[in-house]
Amino acid sequence: MGLLSILKKVKQKEREVRILVLGLDNAGKSCVIKKLCGEDISKVEPTLGFNIKTLEYGGYKLNIWDVGGQQTIRAYWRNYFERTDGLIWVVDSADKVRTQSCKDELKKLLMQEKLAGACVLILANKQDLEGSLSGEELSLRLGLNAFHFNNRHHFVQACSAVTGQGLKEGIDWIVQDISNRIFMY
């Protein structure tokens, strides 16, 4: 029995997944997670380090790692890559000025060997703000068809952490994708 088969059997028993949530500062990562967990989002402070939330969802235990996105913290992101099943990349779709920085950081992430097996959900957050890029527009600006997505499962979901619009669809996709790849029935 190969290592992958053993890992799949262990994962099947646990039905536990590790999801890493990253993005530039002020993208709305913590707000997305708080909204998913049914917590108050009226006062969200910037994450200085990381937070872990555990959420029961669709018969799975989701361990969600929210890591700060400030420039000074990004060098430490690699410390959280180990055993990541899925990556949620949150983008402030109303901040068109930082789209290139967002693209550059995502490209660096996708080149990391420890994240090679992780699927990627890109949340085009802040759809409630006027002038926000749609999921399709964001996909084009990030060049998602151009780099490191050929063999990687990925999905772009427009959402709003404030209203909750699109969050369920995004989480449904990532949980289903991880389930199809990792768990044996």
Side-chain angles (χ1 to χ4, degrees), residues 90-157:
V90 182
V91 179
D92 178 348
S93 57
D95 187 356
K96 297 172 187 168
V97 173
R98 296 201 314 161
T99 306
Q100 185 61 47
S101 295
C102 188
K103 176 181 179 177
D104 295 342
E105 291 294 339
L106 180 58
K107 187 174 181 178
K108 286 182 208 172
L109 281 175
L110 297 177
M111 293 173 17
Q112 298 297 315
E113 189 175 325
K114 288 183 179 179
L115 290 175
C119 59
V120 180
L121 169 63
I122 298 168
L123 291 179
N125 192 24
K126 302 189 182 183
Q127 291 296 306
D128 53 304
L129 299 180
E130 193 170 324
S132 295
L133 297 170
S134 69
E136 295 81 23
E137 291 170 319
L138 184 64
S139 184
L140 288 171
R141 287 201 185 195
L142 294 179
L144 298 184
N145 296 329
F147 63 88
H148 300 288
F149 272 97
N150 296 340
N151 296 319
R152 188 185 297 267
H153 293 214
H154 68 283
F155 184 69
V156 178
Q157 176 65 52

Side-chain angles (χ1 to χ4, degrees), residues 47-78:
T47 304
L48 302 174
F50 69 95
N51 292 311
I52 305 170
K53 295 281 186 180
T54 300
L55 178 65
E56 294 291 331
Y57 193 89
Y60 294 92
K61 181 179 177 182
L62 308 181
N63 294 310
I64 303 172
W65 291 68
D66 171 21
V67 184
Q70 296 86 349
Q71 180 73 41
T72 55
I73 296 175
R74 293 179 204 160
Y76 298 100
W77 283 354
R78 67 181 179 278

